[in-house]
């Protein structure tokens, strides 16, 4: 196969950050995606409709000239979120709410401590047709970091989907066979995003031959058997799994650090890397559904009208991206050669 044309895809999970950074991140995503679910973990977080709409305006202002790219906004759930916040957000056009257990990941200190306290909020979300997006990891210090997703499923996910059977729940950036099997075992209202890094890499790529800070993201890369299960479920083509890059830029010096932060900035290479995965899996016939159809179908949004074309052509991911203020970032797969290129 020398080229492939698919319906224009969307990115159902990413981090644009804010202000000056938007001039970098928005064009990088708008180069191929029509829409993106924009994560709300700013500092301070996006916790209500007016913050979300103001953030949306800043994103729209950073679009390249002529771009029709549409950001889909999310609210960050905290212990202060009320059912009235949900209704107001829905009315303002917010698409979904994000649940971060406190301390689970970058900028999640403000997040939720006791999930059951949020039940009135989930109730309202179910009623209003607001999706629940979940960073599914427990944060208790005694739980091994490689087990945190599995423990979250057992302690919380099982209960949430059981207690809110009509709530659409997206298990974000799944990393384990346990999560994939949990999603497959539940109804059409439970789906999941999968990142390029969790399909392409496992924890050896983080730790063998030296620590690779640019492969460090949360949930952390797992053992190869989990990677294999994720690859298997996307190759099988279940409608429940869709593209979410979790592109999450951080300055180079904050990742190459004695206490390096989590996140892979994949916007410049993500669609190409996914194409590579599906080709490796001999599942190119499932690529378009994963990238362009399953997401809007799950969200209840129209599929995009346009198309993109990827061609078989080698190119090298840049070693560095430099922002206008001189901040340097290392993109995911920096310096590596990819086989598919966006035409
Ligand atoms: C994300 C970030 O940097 O905001 N980091 C990451 O490792 N994925 C947060 C997140 O998605 O959990
Ligand atoms: Zn997350
Ligand atoms: Zn994320």
């Amino acid at each position: 196969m020398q080229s492939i044309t698919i319906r224009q895809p969307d990115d159902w999970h990413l981090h644009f950050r804010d202000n000056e950074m938007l001039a970098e991140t928005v064009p990088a995503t708008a180069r191929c995606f029509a829409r993106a679910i924009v994560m709300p973990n700013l500092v301070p977080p996006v916790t209500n409709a007016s913050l979300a709409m103001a953030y949306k305006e800043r994103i729209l202002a950073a679009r390249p000239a002529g771009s029709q790219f549409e950001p889909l906004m999310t609210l960050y759930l905290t212990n202060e979120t009320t059912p009235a916040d949900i209704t107001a957000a829905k009315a303002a056009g917010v698409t979904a709410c994000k649940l971060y257990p406190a301390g689970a990941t970058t900028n999640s200190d403000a997040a939720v401590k006791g999930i059951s306290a949020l039940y009135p909020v989930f109730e309202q979300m179910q009623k209003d047709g607001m999706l629940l997006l979940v960073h599914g990891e427990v944060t208790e210090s005694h739980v091994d970091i490689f087990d945190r997703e599995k423990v979250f499923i057992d302690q919380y996910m099982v209960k949430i989907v059981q207690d809110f059977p009509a709530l659409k729940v997206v298990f974000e950036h799944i990393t384990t066979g346990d999560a994939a099997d949990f999603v497959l075992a539940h109804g059409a209202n439970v789906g999941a995003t999968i990142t390029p890094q969790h399909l392409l890499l496992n924890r050896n790529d983080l730790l063998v031959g030296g620590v690779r800070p640019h492969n460090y993201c949360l949930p952390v890369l797992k053992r190869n058997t989990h990677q294999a299960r994720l690859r298997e479920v996307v190759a099988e083509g279940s409608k429940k799994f869709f593209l979410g890059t979790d592109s999450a830029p951080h300055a180079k010096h904050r990742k190459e650090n004695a206490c390096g932060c989590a996140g892979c900035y994949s916007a410049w290479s993500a669609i190409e890397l996914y194409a590579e995965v599906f080709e490796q899996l001999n599942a190119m016939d499932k690529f378009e559904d994963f990238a362009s159809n399953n997401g809007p179908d799950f969200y209840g949004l129209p599929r995009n009208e346009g198309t993109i074309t990827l061609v078989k052509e080698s190119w090298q991911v840049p070693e560095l991206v430099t922002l206008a203020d001189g901040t340097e970032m290392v993109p995911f797969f920096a310096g590596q050669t990819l086989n598919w290129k966006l035409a």
Side-chain angles (χ1 to χ4, degrees):
M1 189 180 275
Q2 289 308 306
S3 101
I4 182 168
T5 297
I6 59 168
R7 182 189 303 283
Q8 192 174 14
D10 305 296
D11 186 348
W12 299 96
H13 180 134
L14 62 60
H15 303 264
F16 275 146
R17 314 303 185 203
D18 205 353
N19 302 319
E20 294 74 44
M21 186 78 109
L22 296 176
E24 159 61 27
T25 55
V26 176
T29 287
R31 81 190 169 97
C32 66
F33 296 111
R35 295 170 290 198
I37 284 282
V38 181
M39 289 294 139
N41 61 330
L42 305 181
V43 187
V46 179
T47 49
N48 61 48
S50 59
L51 289 170
M53 290 305 119
Y55 184 29
K56 180 178 185 176
E57 288 309 313
R58 297 195 294 280
I59 294 167
L60 290 174
R63 289 187 299 186
S67 169
Q68 297 296 306
F69 172 77
E70 185 190 355
L72 303 174
M73 307 310 294
T74 62
L75 231 56
Y76 185 112
L77 296 174
T78 75
N79 288 114
E80 272 74 60
T81 308
T82 64
D85 290 330
I86 302 304
T87 305
K90 182 74 189 178
V94 170
T95 303
C97 296
K98 183 71 192 281
L99 174 66
Y100 292 102
T105 188
T106 312
N107 302 335
S108 67
D109 299 341
V112 171
K113 297 218 164 66
I115 287 175
S116 50
L118 273 178
Y119 266 39
V121 169
F122 293 166
E123 192 72 54
Q124 193 66 45
M125 291 172 64
Q126 180 170 253
K127 201 177 286 173
D128 291 345
M130 180 78 92
L131 282 86
L132 176 66
L133 317 182
V134 183
H135 181 113
E137 287 192 289
V138 297
T139 56
E140 287 95 324
S141 58
H142 68 272
V143 181
D144 188 278
I145 190 168
F146 293 102
D147 298 335
R148 288 179 178 198
E149 187 172 275
K150 165 79 169 103
V151 174
F152 187 89
I153 295 169
D154 298 340
Q155 288 189 356
Y156 300 104
M157 282 304 252
V158 166
K159 213 170 138 36
I160 292 171
V161 302
Q162 182 182 313
D163 293 345
F164 300 95
L167 180 65
K168 284 188 191 176
V169 180
V170 183
F171 201 156
E172 297 292 341
H173 46 44
I174 61 168
T175 63
T176 57
D178 308 282
D181 292 331
F182 170 85
V183 169
L184 285 170
H186 287 82
N189 61 316
V190 181
T193 53
I194 309 185
T195 73
Q197 61 268 28
H198 293 107
L199 290 169
L200 283 159
L201 308 177
N202 60 63
R203 64 196 193 183
N204 281 2
D205 300 293
L206 185 62
L207 297 169
V208 172
V211 175
R212 315 289 168 130
H214 301 292
N215 291 343
Y216 176 54
C217 65
L218 288 169
V220 73
L221 296 169
K222 303 299 191 294
R223 64 164 64 235
N224 60 359
T225 48
H226 290 293
Q227 178 199 6
R229 182 67 184 134
L230 297 180
R231 290 167 69 93
E232 199 170 84
V233 298
V234 302
E236 283 165 0
S238 159
K239 299 282 295 168
K240 289 168 154 287
F241 301 101
F242 39 92
L243 186 157
T245 63
D246 197 15
S247 182
H250 291 280
K252 179 174 189 275
H253 69 91
R254 298 211 46 228
K255 288 197 65 72
E256 297 176 9
N257 189 292
C259 185
C261 56
C264 301
Y265 182 42
S266 61
W268 289 109
S269 55
I271 195 69
E272 296 85 348
L273 288 169
Y274 282 117
E276 204 139 318
V277 169
F278 279 85
E279 186 178 47
Q280 289 167 3
L281 294 170
N282 270 318
M284 268 314 213
D285 58 322
K286 307 290 184 353
F287 179 45
E288 181 175 42
D289 277 346
F290 178 83
S292 314
N293 295 335
N294 297 351
D297 293 356
F298 185 87
Y299 270 74
L301 293 170
R303 295 178 178 184
N304 296 316
E305 299 281 341
T307 59
I308 62 162
T309 297
L310 292 150
V311 293
K312 201 65 166 294
E313 189 184 317
S314 297
W315 65 286
Q316 220 185 18
V317 180
E319 297 280 1
L320 219 52
V321 167
T322 307
L323 304 185
D325 68 359
T327 304
E328 293 182 333
M329 298 193 300
V330 177
F332 185 56
F333 262 60
Q336 297 192 55
T337 301
L338 305 191
N339 301 315
W340 288 96
K341 193 167 194 285
L342 189 68

